Amino acid sequence: MASLYHPVKIGSLQLEGNLFLAPVAGYSDRAFRSLCIEFGASFTYTEMVSSEALTRGSGKTEKLLQRAHNEKKYAVQIFGSDPERMADAASMVADEATPECIDINAGCPVPKIWKNGAGSALTRDPDRLALIVRAVTDRMKNKAAAEERDTMPVTVKIRSGWDDSALSWKEAAEAAVSAGAAAITLHPRTRAQGYEGKADWKILAELSALIHSSHPGIPVFGSGDLFTPESAKEMLEQTGCDGVMFARGAMGNPFIFRQAIEYLSEGTWEAVPAQDRIEAGWRELRQLSEDSGETAACREMRKRFCAYSKGLEGGASLRLEIVKASSIEDYRNLFASHGFVLS
C-alpha cells in the first residue's frame, strides 16, 4: 500500500509526493493553497489565469499569481485560445511569478470560457490544443536556453470530451503530449456534464495505459470524485494513474492531504477535531484579509467557513450566523459563542 504514495517527476521537476491541489476557480488562492501545503499537499495549482487579461496588463491577475509563503513549488494555470498569446502569457508568468510549472487549461466547462475557444473547447479541438502546447513549450525552451537553466515543464488538464457522443480525450491527450506536454491530467467528465453525474474512472484507466505505453516517462494524473482518503486510494489502484488532484474534496478540508498520506501509507487516518477545523479556516481568513482586504475576505469566507463546519455538531446553526458575518470581529464573536477560542 505504501507504494501508492510516491515521488513524481514532471519533466525536470521532482516532487516528493503525488497528492495535488487542483486549480479551482475562485478557491485556490494563496491563502487556501498555503493551508493545503501545511497539511501535506505535494504540489498546488493556482486558479486559472486568463492569457488575455495577463497580456493586456489587468491588475487583477497579479494577485492570482502570488506564491504562498510556504509554497516551495507550485504551478500557474493559464487559459486561452490563441497560441501566440498563450506563449506570451506563459513567458510573463515565468518572469513575474517564477513558478515551477505552467499548466494549460483545456477542460473548464464554463460557457464564458469555452465560447471563446478556451477551456473544454480545446479538448474537442486537438489541433488547436497542439498548436498552443507547442507554442508554450517552445517559448519555455527558448527562455531556458537563454537563461542557462532547466526548461520549465508545461502540463495540460483535459476533460473526457464535449459530451457523451463526442469523447475526444484520446486525441486531445496524444496531441498535447506529442506537442511537448510533460504531464496530462484528466477529469473524466464531459463538458456537458459540468460537475454533475459521476466521473468515469474507466476512461482515466484507459488514458493511463495509453500514455504509459506510448510515452513512457510522461505521468498521468486524475481528478474527479475525490472526497475521501479512500477515494484517492481507489483511483490510484483502479486507474494506474501516477497521482491525484483534489478539487471540491479539499474545500473546507485541506486536511484531506494529510489523511490521504496516512491512509496510503498506513491504512488508517484520523478525523480532525472541530477546534482544529475552525482554526484552519481562521488562519485562511487572516491571510485572505491581508491579500484582498477585510471586507472582501470576510464575504468570501462565508462559503468557506460553511464548508469547514460541515459535519460538526451544531454546524447548521453555526452556518446561519456565518452567512451574516461581515468583519473579522464578527467571525471571532460568533465562533466564541459556539465555544471556539481563536487568537
Side-chain angles (χ1 to χ4, degrees), residues 64-223:
L64 300 178
L65 301 178
Q66 293 176 326
R67 185 189 294 260
H69 68 92
N70 58 347
E71 211 165 25
K72 295 180 180 179
K73 299 176 181 179
Y74 81 126
V76 171
Q77 187 186 71
I78 59 176
F79 74 94
S81 60
D82 179 79
E84 195 60 26
R85 192 173 290 277
M86 285 285 279
D88 289 343
S91 184
M92 291 178 66
V93 166
D95 289 338
E96 297 174 15
T98 63
E100 282 63 42
C101 178
I102 297 288
D103 188 60
I104 294 172
N105 184 307
C108 181
V110 176
K112 70 177 182 179
I113 303 298
W114 60 255
K115 284 183 177 179
N116 290 315
S120 56
L122 294 176
T123 295
R124 72 166 178 174
D125 190 351
D127 291 340
R128 178 167 289 277
L129 177 58
L131 290 173
I132 289 173
V133 174
R134 178 60 65 196
V136 175
T137 55
D138 283 350
R139 186 69 64 86
M140 293 300 99
K141 288 178 182 177
N142 292 338
K143 285 182 68 64
E147 298 168 9
E148 298 183 342
R149 57 171 175 79
D150 290 336
T151 300
M152 185 180 296
V154 176
T155 59
V156 178
K157 187 176 183 184
I158 64 174
R159 283 235 166 188
S160 55
W162 191 249
D163 54 33
D164 288 339
S165 66
L167 299 179
S168 52
W169 58 268
K170 185 181 297 183
E171 294 79 7
E174 285 282 11
V177 173
S178 296
I184 292 289
T185 299
L186 173 65
H187 183 150
R189 281 185 171 89
T190 65
R191 184 277 320 173
Q193 278 182 280
Y195 299 96
E196 301 298 323
K198 190 175 182 180
D200 189 348
W201 289 6
K202 291 181 181 178
I203 291 177
L204 178 58
E206 291 182 47
L207 175 63
S208 296
L210 173 68
I211 297 300
H212 291 158
S213 174
S214 59
H215 301 279
I218 300 294
V220 175
F221 306 128
S223 182

Side-chain angles (χ1 to χ4, degrees), residues 18-99:
N18 59 342
L19 303 176
F20 308 152
L21 172 66
V24 184
Y27 220 102
S28 54
D29 48 45
R30 74 169 179 171
F32 183 62
R33 297 198 315 272
S34 68
L35 283 176
C36 292
I37 290 291
E38 178 184 337
F39 289 107
S42 313
F43 199 49
T44 49
Y45 292 71
T46 67
E47 303 174 61
M48 61 181 185
V49 179
S50 167
S51 60
E52 290 284 336
L54 190 61
T55 55
R56 293 183 188 280
S58 171
K60 294 181 180 179
T61 60
E62 294 181 6
K63 186 172 67 174
L64 300 178
L65 301 178
Q66 293 176 326
R67 185 189 294 260
H69 68 92
N70 58 347
E71 211 165 25
K72 295 180 180 179
K73 299 176 181 179
Y74 81 126
V76 171
Q77 187 186 71
I78 59 176
F79 74 94
S81 60
D82 179 79
E84 195 60 26
R85 192 173 290 277
M86 285 285 279
D88 289 343
S91 184
M92 291 178 66
V93 166
D95 289 338
E96 297 174 15
T98 63

Side-chain angles (χ1 to χ4, degrees), residues 250-328:
M251 293 180 180
N253 189 26
F255 325 100
I256 197 168
F257 296 99
R258 182 178 66 193
Q259 293 170 333
I261 293 172
E262 292 174 357
Y263 190 66
L264 294 175
S265 303
E266 303 168 14
T268 60
W269 58 273
E270 294 186 5
V272 178
Q275 175 70 30
D276 292 353
R277 296 181 67 87
I278 299 302
E279 280 183 356
W282 181 251
R283 293 201 303 279
E284 186 176 353
L285 169 61
R286 300 306 289 264
Q287 179 64 66
L288 200 56
S289 295
E290 290 183 19
D291 293 344
S292 304
E294 182 174 348
T295 299
C298 289
R299 188 184 306 116
E300 170 64 25
M301 285 302 297
R302 291 171 185 169
K303 70 178 182 183
R304 301 193 189 189
F305 270 123
C306 284
Y308 277 109
S309 68
K310 286 183 178 179
L312 299 187
E313 184 177 351
S317 61
L318 181 59
R319 286 189 286 278
L320 290 175
E321 297 177 56
I322 286 173
V323 297
K324 301 175 184 177
S326 299
S327 68
I328 290 177

